[in-house]
């Protein structure tokens, strides 16, 4: 009340209107903001606040009329495009999606990025995935910050993969995001799921090997290396898979899956190292009949018949549920070793 000069009085009235609205006095806020606009008709702040007050009072149609007037008469591009975004939002609330889209796109076309979120929400609600993908692409073209670009690339990749049925096109976008942030586990999981659907075992092997090098903890590194070993086997890169498993054992000498896989691989290759893997594996879990027989075969091969008989005896207790193939292998091995140690009756 003490302020009489218009240039000083108008901003105080705007502030009075804002405080009144916060206190729940919308009519008082509207009166104050109308007084402010009389003193300063070009005040963008006053115009924005008046529209907000009208909406809070449920006078949505009046707010629409006010925004349309502003779009027609305001010559400031930034102000007009902001009004279009606000009008589009009101039109969506009124169920006028088509007209709302026109307003959002008009604002978007003059570079107002505020239009992106409501326009994207409208396209999502209408399941217009191609249009949404194109919109994200246009936004991406104007971004320079790596983090911002990665965020939009991730949205585009998800659209290609999950909505548009073009997973191959999504793959390079996921890879770009991972290149910017190799520790982003959620994106790694998405790319992994995509490559699994494509059965691209080579790419999966390389991805998990890369993840292992970036792992923050030993547990994460072990999990990635085990995955890499599994995928390497599927892609025919068995030697590389064995190297991954050996790296696992460097950090965790008693990791069961790595020990079991390396033991089986060495046993199949008649590699004497199999006995060591089996011995370590036995300390962390029970061995299967197949593993006992494999261990016995390696001991026999190396001329350690006593050690071979120990494994065969332990295998004997497991024969009840054995397959015919395993039973036959057991009896043949047992007879052969017992004959060699002079136990003809046992043979």
């Amino acid at each position: 009340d003490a302020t009489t000069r218009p240039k000083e009085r108008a901003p105080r009235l705007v502030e009075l209107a804002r405080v009144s609205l916060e206190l729940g006095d919308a009519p008082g806020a509207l009166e104050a903001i109308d007084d402010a606009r009389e003193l300063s008709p070009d005040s963008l702040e006053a115009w924005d606040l008046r529209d907000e007050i009208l909406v809070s009072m449920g006078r949505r149609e009046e707010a629409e009329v006010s925004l349309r007037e502003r779009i027609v008469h305001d010559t400031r591009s930034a102000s007009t495009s902001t009004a279009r975004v606000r009008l589009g939002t009101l039109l969506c609330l009124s169920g006028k999606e088509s007209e709302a889209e026109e307003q959002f796109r008009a604002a978007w076309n003059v570079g107002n990025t505020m239009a992106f979120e409501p326009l994207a929400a409208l396209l999502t609600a209408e399941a217009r995935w191609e249009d949404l993908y194109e919109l994200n692409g246009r936004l991406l073209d104007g971004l320079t910050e790596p983090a911002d670009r990665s965020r939009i690339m991730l949205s585009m990749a998800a659209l290609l993969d999950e909505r548009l049925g073009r997973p191959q096109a999504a793959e390079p976008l996921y890879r770009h995001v991972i290149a910017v942030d190799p520790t982003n586990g959620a994106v790694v999981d998405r790319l992994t799921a995509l490559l699994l659907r494509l059965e691209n075992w080579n790419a999966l092997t390389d991805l998990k090997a890369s993840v292992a090098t970036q792992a923050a903890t030993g547990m994460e590194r072990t999990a990635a290396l085990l995955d890499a070993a599994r995928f390497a086997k599927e892609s025919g890169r068995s030697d590389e898979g064995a190297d991954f498993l050996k790296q696992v054992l460097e950090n965790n000498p008693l990791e069961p899956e790595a020990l079991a896989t390396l033991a089986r691989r060495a046993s199949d290759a008649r590699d004497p190292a199999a006995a060591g893997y089996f011995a370590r594996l036995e300390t962390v879990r029970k061995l299967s009949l197949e593993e006992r027989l494999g261990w016995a075969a390696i001991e026999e091969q190396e001329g350690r018949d006593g050690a071979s008989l120990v494994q065969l005896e332990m295998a004997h207790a497991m024969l009840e549920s054995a397959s015919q193939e395993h039973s036959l292998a057991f009896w043949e091995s047992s007879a052969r070793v017992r004959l060699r140690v002079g136990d003809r009756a046992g043979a």
Side-chain angles (χ1 to χ4, degrees):
D1 288 341
T3 306
T4 56
R5 285 182 294 183
K7 286 186 178 181
E8 295 180 3
R9 186 173 175 81
R12 293 183 181 276
L13 284 166
V14 171
E15 187 59 28
L16 175 62
R18 191 181 310 282
V19 172
S20 298
L21 183 61
E22 291 175 356
L23 294 174
D25 182 12
L30 183 60
E31 181 181 350
I33 206 67
D34 282 340
D35 289 345
R37 290 191 63 212
E38 285 184 13
L39 295 172
S40 181
D42 295 330
S43 171
L44 184 59
E45 185 180 13
W47 215 329
D48 285 343
L49 185 55
R50 187 174 190 277
D51 296 333
E52 184 180 341
I53 294 168
L54 289 172
V55 172
S56 74
M57 298 174 70
R59 294 161 62 175
R60 197 178 295 164
E61 291 184 0
E62 291 181 56
E64 288 184 19
V65 170
S66 173
L67 287 164
R68 291 183 193 279
E69 290 178 359
R70 178 170 161 187
I71 290 168
V72 172
H73 298 297
D74 196 340
T75 58
R76 294 166 294 185
S77 176
S79 172
T80 302
S81 65
T82 299
R84 289 188 183 280
V85 174
R86 291 177 177 270
L87 177 58
T89 302
L90 289 179
L91 291 169
C92 280
L93 294 173
S94 302
K96 303 173 184 176
E97 287 82 3
S98 178
E99 189 178 355
E101 182 178 349
E102 291 179 10
Q103 297 298 333
F104 290 142
R105 288 197 179 275
W108 176 252
N109 288 336
V110 295
N112 191 328
T113 56
M114 289 174 55
F116 175 80
E117 292 295 342
L119 180 54
L122 189 153
L123 296 175
T124 299
E126 297 180 352
R128 292 164 54 186
W129 309 122
E130 284 285 0
D131 290 343
L132 184 58
Y133 178 78
E134 179 185 353
L135 178 68
N136 276 274
R138 287 185 58 189
L139 179 62
L140 180 66
D141 289 341
L143 297 176
T144 57
E145 288 295 322
D148 293 336
R149 289 181 60 81
S150 292
R151 176 173 54 83
I152 298 304
M153 282 187 178
L154 183 56
S155 297
M156 295 173 71
L159 283 169
L160 289 167
D161 184 17
E162 300 167 11
R163 301 295 185 181
L164 297 174
R166 289 150 56 188
Q168 290 90 343
E171 182 181 345
L173 291 173
Y174 281 135
R175 289 191 180 281
H176 181 90
V177 175
I178 293 171
V180 173
D181 181 9
T183 62
N184 192 325
V187 184
V188 171
D189 289 344
R190 286 193 183 190
L191 179 55
T192 298
L194 183 153
L195 295 173
L196 279 169
R197 293 198 304 275
L198 298 176
E199 297 186 356
N200 190 339
W201 310 118
N202 274 312
L204 281 163
T205 301
D206 295 338
L207 173 64
K208 291 300 183 176
S210 176
V211 169
T213 64
Q214 303 289 338
T217 67
M219 187 178 297
E220 291 174 356
R221 175 175 165 79
T222 293
L225 287 170
L226 288 174
D227 283 341
R230 296 185 200 107
F231 297 137
K233 179 181 178 182
E234 293 288 346
S235 60
R237 296 156 62 180
S238 56
D239 288 345
E240 194 172 350
D243 289 338
F244 292 139
L245 295 173
K246 290 173 183 177
Q247 291 179 51
V248 169
L249 295 181
E250 289 175 4
N251 295 324
N252 185 357
L254 297 178
E255 206 295 315
E257 182 178 343
L259 285 172
T261 304
L262 287 170
R264 191 178 309 114
R265 185 174 188 272
S267 177
D268 291 343
R270 291 293 184 261
D271 182 348
Y277 291 130
F278 282 129
R280 286 156 66 183
L281 181 60
E282 188 179 33
T283 66
V284 292
R285 70 161 172 80
K286 291 182 178 180
L287 299 188
S288 67
L289 175 59
E290 182 180 4
E291 289 165 342
R292 290 287 180 195
L293 293 175
W295 191 354
I298 291 297
E299 299 291 8
E300 179 187 355
Q301 170 188 296
E302 296 304 303
R304 298 190 290 263
D305 293 330
S308 180
L309 281 174
V310 170
Q311 295 307 316
L312 290 169
E313 287 294 337
M314 299 185 75
H316 184 265
M318 308 167 71
L319 285 180
E320 185 175 344
S321 59
S323 67
Q324 184 177 7
E325 178 185 0
H326 286 150
S327 295
L328 182 60
F330 166 79
W331 293 117
E332 287 180 344
S333 297
S334 185
R336 188 170 54 248
V337 174
R338 289 183 184 281
L339 186 61
R340 193 161 49 246
V341 299
D343 182 8
R344 294 180 177 274

